[in-house]
């Protein structure tokens, strides 16, 4: 007969050991009207709590629990409590540092008023001080009506270990966590000693019965630190992190392979776990906003989208303050179907011999119906650049009327075969400040337009004009902008391919120019492709774009 004897050491299970349990209920040490300290987010209040739980050796059978029960206090009970506190405050009278300020026989209250009447209004109170506004706040404390929601709270702490000192050590760690809430009030631990109190504690702990030892009313600022999720400042190893988990892309999200009607969004992990280039439909795209840290790919994503839409035949505008993106984009834009639509506007450098593009937003070398569009685009553009909002209706009206008058005069100049005599943005300042020049041109305007300048404008205050001319004065300080906006004729007679209301004081949109600058660009623009020609969806270039003349 063979007998097998196991030689490995038998480790007793935790349930076979004697268990030592520590219990404590946290109650307010002072009247509930005095607040605890309001815990902020830095440092995270949950940091110490997570660190305390991290020291619990669960493999040895240790356990630590914190139970926080909340019950909203009804408004009726809260109002009744406030009335009692106010009554106590009135009976107590105003005081400071334990010294009574008013009241007593012959020195205040009713008797003080009677004594003052007997003496012709003179008071015998001498150096008596007046009650302070803080007396009411001291009476109600944190239960002020503006505090918001109030909760009745039951906080139970329980630790368990195989050694009594281990259970006591875990309890002290939990008590140290809640000691950080000490302010005008503090949380006082109360340990059950009798058999009945221990049974009552365990019944509440296991069943969730809400029966706190005394009134425990706390406000949201006192509780928020323990009810929120752990923040990034909670560095305890026992906190489970999601790792920035991003849900899978929608099943119907299009995959970009160069379709003209799609805009690439970037690398997206689809539901099957494969990474593809996700896209959005152009017809569904109203606007987009990308947020993130510097150097995390926002400019690159925008540049890819701009190049992709240019290859698809759409008009684009890319503002590059530093010129670095334009240098990287050149190889991908050197294609026959893009070069005729591509131009570069460089307003960063203004050398005397440097050729720049020109654009006259007031040019009327377009259909007659464009007058209203010019008035709207110029007015809204300058108003947006000056951040007028809805606070400058008078300046908006003056600017709109000025733009209307100059556009009508430009229309007459074009119809008479003198497009080089058109007014520019800088004539807005001349129209408003040079009265003689304006009076000579008014007879050329229709009567309904002329009536505003002869009847209404002279009655306006003199400080209304500088508000309108501020934008023109700022443009006049830059030689590059003077050349860009100062030409009576634009580089092309076609209207801009995008919304004319788009405005930028440093690099505004412009029609296709006939001259270009070899310096680093600040704006890359492409006009829409002709409907008769459909450009290829994808291409690879070798050099920068050519210039037209």
């Amino acid at each position: 007969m063979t007998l097998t004897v196991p030689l490995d050491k038998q480790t007793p299970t935790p349930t076979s050991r004697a268990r030592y349990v520590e219990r404590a209920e946290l109650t307010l040490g002072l009247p509930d009207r005095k607040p605890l300290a309001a815990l902020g987010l830095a440092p995270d209040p949950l940091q110490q709590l997570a660190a305390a739980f991290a020291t619990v050796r669960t493999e040895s059978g240790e356990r630590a629990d914190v139970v926080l029960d909340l019950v909203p206090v009804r408004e009726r009970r809260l109002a009744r409590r406030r009335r009692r506190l106010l009554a106590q405050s009135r009976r107590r009278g105003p005081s400071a540092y334990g010294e009574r300020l008013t009241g007593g026989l012959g020195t205040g209250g009713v008797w003080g008023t009677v004594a003052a009447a007997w003496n012709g209004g003179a008071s015998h109170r001498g150096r008596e001080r007046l009650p302070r506004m803080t007396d009411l706040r001291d009476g109600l404390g944190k239960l002020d009506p503006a505090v918001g929601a109030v909760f009745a709270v039951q906080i139970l702490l329980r630790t368990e270990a195989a050694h009594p000192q281990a259970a006591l050590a875990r309890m002290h760690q939990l008590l140290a966590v809640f000691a950080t809430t000490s302010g005008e009030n503090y949380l006082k631990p109360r340990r059950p000693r009798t058999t009945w109190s221990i049974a009552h504690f365990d019944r509440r702990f296991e069943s969730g019965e809400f029966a706190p030892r005394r009134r425990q009313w706390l406000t949201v600022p006192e509780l928020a630190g323990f009810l929120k999720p752990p923040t990034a400042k909670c560095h305890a190893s026992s906190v489970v992190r999601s790792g920035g988990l991003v849900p899978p892309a929608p099943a119907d999200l299009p995959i970009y392979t160069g379709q003209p009607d799609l805009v690439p969004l970037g690398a997206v992990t689809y539901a099957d776990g494969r990474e593809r280039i996700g896209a959005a439909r152009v017809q569904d795209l109203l606007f987009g906003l990308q947020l993130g840290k510097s150097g995390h790919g926002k400019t690159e994503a925008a540049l890819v989208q701009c190049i992709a839409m240019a290859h698809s035949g759409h008009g684009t505008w890319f503002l590059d303050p530093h010129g670095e993106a334009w240098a990287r984009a050149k190889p991908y834009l050197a294609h026959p179907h893009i070069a005729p639509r591509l131009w570069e506007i460089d307003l960063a450098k203004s050398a005397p011999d440097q050729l720049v593009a020109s654009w006259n937003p007031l040019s009327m070398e377009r259909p007659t119906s464009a007058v209203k569009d010019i008035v709207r685009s110029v007015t809204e553009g300058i108003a947006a650049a000056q951040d007028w909002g809805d606070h400058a209706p008078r300046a908006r009206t003056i600017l709109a009327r000025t733009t209307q008058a100059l556009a009508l005069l430009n229309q007459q100049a074009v119809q008479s075969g003198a497009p080089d005599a058109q007014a520019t943005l800088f004539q807005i300042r001349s129209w408003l400040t040079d009265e003689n020049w304006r009076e000579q041109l008014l007879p050329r305007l229709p009567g309904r337009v002329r009536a505003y300048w002869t009847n209404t404008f002279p009655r306006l205050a003199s400080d209304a004009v500088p508000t309108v001319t501020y934008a023109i004065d700022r443009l006049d300080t830059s030689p590059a902008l003077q050349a860009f906006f100062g030409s009576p004729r634009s580089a092309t007679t076609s209207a801009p391919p995008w919304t004319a209301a788009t405005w930028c004081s440093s690099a505004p949109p412009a029609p296709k120019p006939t001259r270009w600058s070899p310096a680093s660009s600040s704006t890359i623009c492409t006009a829409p492709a002709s409907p008769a020609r459909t450009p290829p969806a994808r291409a690879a270039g070798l050099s920068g774009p050519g210039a037209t003349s």
Side-chain angles (χ1 to χ4, degrees), residues 326 344-358 478-484 515-523:
W326 168 234
E344 169 189 357
I345 303 174
D346 185 9
L347 301 178
K349 300 179 181 180
S350 58
D353 57 345
Q354 179 181 354
L355 299 179
V356 297
S358 61
S478 172
L481 293 176
Q482 290 175 2
F484 185 72
R515 296 177 293 178
W516 73 302
S517 167
S520 61
S521 68
S522 59
T523 306

Side-chain angles (χ1 to χ4, degrees), residues 403-450:
T403 305
Q404 180 190 33
L406 295 179
L408 291 174
L409 292 174
N410 288 351
Q411 184 181 28
Q412 298 178 20
V414 173
Q415 291 176 353
S416 62
D420 291 335
Q422 295 184 99
T424 66
L425 288 180
F426 295 102
Q427 270 66 61
I428 294 178
R429 179 178 55 187
S430 302
W431 182 270
L432 295 175
T433 58
D434 193 340
E435 185 175 355
N436 295 331
W437 185 66
R438 183 175 68 247
E439 292 296 334
Q440 294 177 9
L441 295 176
L442 281 178
R444 298 179 177 271
L445 297 176
R448 58 183 177 81
V449 179
R450 187 170 59 253

Side-chain angles (χ1 to χ4, degrees), residues 40-41 86 95 150 165 182 200 291 306 325 399 408 437 529 543:
L41 298 179
L86 288 177
S95 61
V150 178
Q165 293 300 322
S182 298
H200 181 60
L291 302 175
C306 179
L399 179 59
L408 291 174
W437 185 66
S543 61

Side-chain angles (χ1 to χ4, degrees), residues 52-275:
F53 283 125
T55 60
V56 177
R57 297 179 296 179
T58 55
E59 67 280 0
S60 300
E62 295 183 357
R63 182 182 178 88
D65 297 279
V66 176
V67 175
L68 180 60
D69 298 323
L70 302 179
V71 174
V73 179
R74 293 185 177 181
E75 188 62 30
R76 183 179 302 177
R77 292 187 60 195
L78 195 56
R80 184 166 60 249
R81 177 61 176 162
R82 291 187 181 121
R83 288 195 297 269
R84 291 180 180 177
L85 291 175
L86 288 177
Q88 295 176 5
S89 178
R90 284 193 296 267
R91 289 194 300 267
R92 200 167 50 243
S95 61
Y97 303 104
E99 178 184 354
R100 193 176 184 84
L101 298 181
T102 59
L105 296 176
T107 60
V110 178
W111 289 104
T113 305
V114 174
W118 287 345
N119 291 277
S123 177
H124 290 281
R125 283 182 267 183
R127 299 171 58 186
E128 179 180 333
R129 288 170 289 178
L130 296 176
R132 301 179 303 170
M133 293 298 297
T134 57
D135 291 325
L136 179 61
R137 185 168 63 252
D138 293 342
L140 290 180
K142 68 182 182 185
L143 301 180
D144 185 87
V147 72
V150 178
F151 297 89
V153 181
Q154 176 178 261
I155 305 177
L156 304 178
L157 310 181
R158 188 177 185 275
T159 60
E160 183 178 348
H163 194 279
Q165 293 300 322
L168 185 60
R170 302 293 174 258
M171 177 60 67
H172 287 168
Q173 289 177 338
L174 296 181
L175 294 177
V177 172
F178 289 92
T180 58
T181 62
S182 298
E184 295 184 31
N185 209 335
Y186 66 97
L187 294 175
K188 182 178 181 180
R190 298 182 180 274
R191 292 181 170 86
R193 303 295 184 183
T194 63
T195 303
W196 180 88
S197 60
I198 292 176
H200 181 60
F201 181 97
D202 291 341
R203 183 174 66 253
R204 289 183 295 162
F205 182 86
E206 296 173 359
S207 65
E209 176 186 351
F210 189 82
R213 183 183 181 94
R214 51 181 297 184
R215 184 191 298 110
Q216 310 291 328
W217 287 5
L218 298 180
T219 60
V220 173
E222 299 172 288
L223 295 169
F226 294 102
L227 299 182
K228 63 170 186 58
T231 64
K233 298 184 181 298
C234 184
H235 305 290
S237 59
S238 57
V239 177
V240 179
R241 301 288 183 180
S242 63
L245 181 63
V246 179
D252 57 346
L253 184 67
I255 300 176
Y256 183 77
T257 58
Q259 301 92 318
D261 60 336
L262 297 181
V263 180
L265 299 178
V268 178
T269 302
Y270 282 74
D272 58 358
R274 297 181 59 184
E275 189 176 76

Side-chain angles (χ1 to χ4, degrees), residues 18 23 28 48 54 62 79 84 121 146 186 195 240-241 243 256 282 293 297 373 387 396 439 450 473 489 503 536:
R23 306 171 181 84
L28 293 175
Q48 294 188 13
E62 295 183 357
R84 291 180 180 177
Y186 66 97
T195 303
V240 179
R241 301 288 183 180
Y256 183 77
V282 176
K293 294 182 179 180
D373 298 332
D387 196 18
R396 281 177 175 268
E439 292 296 334
R450 187 170 59 253
D473 294 335
R489 304 186 65 180
W503 187 272

